[in-house]
Amino acid sequence: MSREDLKNERHDEMLRVYEERHIVNDSIRQITRPADGELGFLAENIADWIAKDMERLLSPISPNRDKADGSIATRTRSRITNTSTSGAATKHAASGSASLAQDVSNLAISHGKPAQIDAQLAADIGKIKKWTATNGNYQGSEKAMYDPIRSFIVYVARRVKDRLSRPGLSEKVRDECRLILPVEVTDYKPVDSDDSTRIDIGLVDTKYDAAIEMRGRASYYQLCGIFEVKTDKEDVAGAFVQLYKYSRQLFAEQHHLRFALGFTICAGDVRLCHFGPSKAVSSDPMDVTTSNGRRAFIQLLVNMSLCDDSQLGRDPTMRYLPALNCWEIDCPDDEDEAGPSRADSSRYYFTKVICVADRLFGRHTRCFLATANRPAKKLKVDESLEATVVIKDAFAFAKPIASEDDRDAVKTLKKIRATFERDNPGSIIYAKIVVGGRVRFKRGSRIVEDTISTMYTAKVSSDLLFRAHRRIVMDTIGEPLRTVKTAKEFVAVICDAMQCHYAIVDKCNILHRDISDNNILVVRMKDGTVRGLLIDFDCAIDISKDKTEVRGEMTGTFPFMSLNNLTCSTVPRTSLDDWESVLYLLCWYATIGFGTGEDRSEVQARLKNQPIARWRNGTLDTIVDAKRSNLRSLENFYHDIVRWFDERDKNSEQLGVFALRLYKVLFANKLGTGYHGSEEKKVNPIMTALLNDQPPPTSVSADSTNVMGPFALRAEKWEDISKDLLGVINDTKMEMAGW
């Protein structure tokens, strides 16, 4: 598969995501409106002032122009007159300008700017005028649009700096503000990109008193926003698809990013796009060929300059410390389950990230290896802290009131810890919680709980399933599952994780519901042995009442979700759904290999022509169809999946045997013909009774049949089947000694 084919496939996948996850709600522009009331008023004041200056510079006007354009000029004059704007600026605002050059000169003098600014300002206004005069599609190339767009942003930044530098504002207010500036290099690939995608225009932020100049080539880690530019006014979908690709990289590289901001510009139409864990939300177009559209875009840029860091998507409870070359993170302690005003936390430090949020939507789970000991001196570039805990950070589904949340992973882990401390499960290792809770931070004058309500505007969040930002500290250190070096290590890790899973179901009545590659860690012991650790209980529930979970919701990670789960079936969820996920996990890793160190594109290229690739790529329906087909029978499973296991591994044959054993217990057990395979089938009830050593029914004829679903039947016998699966795990673990 060529790189061009991969590129086209990713484009098609992103287009599907755009169609499924994208909504338009103009209220999203308010996400950056400063939470502080005074700063909110100041932002409007500055935006009005900038908009009026720009209108006069773009189009020399007569004294009657103010009456015709009441939407900006009249309102702005009122604001400027009632604030601390200087007399010279007021005089300039009330008088017409004979020419663009004269306007620039007057503006520079009235704002107290050095003389050398005049030429630059005149050049910027000339470029802006070319862009804002667009009628329909832009007449020129995309690259020809870059300079006018960047000039617009720089012009706003210059005016923001001028306003913030005036007397009357406290240093505290100024310190909370910033300048938003474009990156100097355009159409480039950031150094921390994991693919060949090139961004059109990047945005960075600096201190309010920094020099007004475009910044050099910036990495994804440094960007606070990205522009995708199109000359065609109607190519909105194409622009958003590109923006989706960039935003995934922002989440991967910025460990403190809660949501991402981007912009599409299609000719003269500017749209803000907000990427959160649930949806991508875009604004209505701001048409910069009109004064109202320019005013709206200016307001957005000014708001970004004056809002809290959290309103740009950053998590204020995580901070990079340049003086120490490491991250600092506050972890909430909800031991007393206090209300949202509680801000107690423990502080940790980390350099190593073992799980990044490299997917556009979902929980954006991240894992860090950390220590409570603050470094005494600056760490070297390649130096890591000696970690003592692992921190999991995610935006999980929850209930708005924490005390009523029946899927709170903190409560779940505390229950597991208390149970196992009373009744020690022997050699099983499990995730031992230290502290944890919902993340809270200060916004404006209030302490807020970071939930769906702080990530989206009220008009958007009211229509979304509730999520809460949860952070958990555990005292067992592990590495990602992808770090296993051999098949033997992989099986040891999986066996440990599922022995723990069985004990948690049996002793704690807790069902995990999300077995995946991100939720099992590799623990390397001091004696050289390798153990497995089951983590991430965000989807777990208490099944004390009936040992099953009857809600037909979809939980988990697509490639590893059970068929019962993928189809949102009404069949009760049981531990067998998690065991089915183990089978998929085994098949996936046995196919791509262990310890290969291959990058994403190479793995995808190798998987392209193999049936298992359809478990990950495509729509929900195609994934379901692929799994049903692959699991229809033992023969299908072997031919479609097992025979493609990576033959470079000397234990690929043993892995195949392990997979077939798991399949037989899950899909071809001895409970009767109705329990076999992955599809509904017609079954003779007399034959079924005989196979199960039961007396045949007398009320049916020998040729009658019933339609039976294997998952519903299997759910009735889940405890027996789980014991058989545990036996397969234990037998395989013992056999490993001879591998």
Side-chain angles (χ1 to χ4, degrees), residues 68-79:
D69 194 6
S71 62
I72 291 181
T74 304
R75 184 175 73 247
T76 305
R77 179 185 292 119
S78 174
R79 285 200 181 278

Side-chain angles (χ1 to χ4, degrees), residues 19-37:
E19 293 169 349
E20 295 170 0
R21 295 276 193 149
H22 191 98
I23 59 176
V24 178
N25 192 313
D26 202 46
S27 72
I28 202 64
R29 286 197 285 130
Q30 299 302 312
I31 196 71
T32 58
R33 178 181 171 79
D36 183 277

Side-chain angles (χ1 to χ4, degrees), residues 419-468:
T419 302
F420 283 177
E421 284 176 351
R422 290 194 310 268
D423 184 7
N424 194 314
S427 62
I428 293 175
I429 64 171
Y430 62 95
K432 298 177 183 178
I433 186 172
V434 179
V435 295
R438 294 188 180 185
V439 173
R440 304 176 182 94
F441 53 77
K442 188 175 182 181
R443 173 174 284 181
S445 59
R446 300 184 302 123
I447 298 294
V448 298
E449 196 171 79
D450 197 17
T451 66
I452 204 79
S453 302
T454 56
M455 288 182 275
Y456 293 91
T457 57
K459 289 185 178 180
V460 176
S461 62
S462 61
D463 294 329
L464 300 176
L465 290 174
F466 189 83
R467 288 180 185 265

Side-chain angles (χ1 to χ4, degrees), residues 281-318:
V281 187
S282 66
S283 68
D284 292 332
M286 294 168 274
D287 185 356
V288 296
T289 67
T290 68
S291 58
N292 284 338
R294 291 190 287 273
R295 170 65 175 79
F297 188 29
I298 289 169
Q299 182 70 71
L300 188 56
L301 292 171
V302 174
N303 283 349
M304 290 178 68
S305 300
L306 273 65
C307 68
D308 286 348
D309 252 11
S310 66
Q311 293 179 271
L312 293 179
R314 295 164 180 158
D315 183 350
T317 67
M318 290 179 63

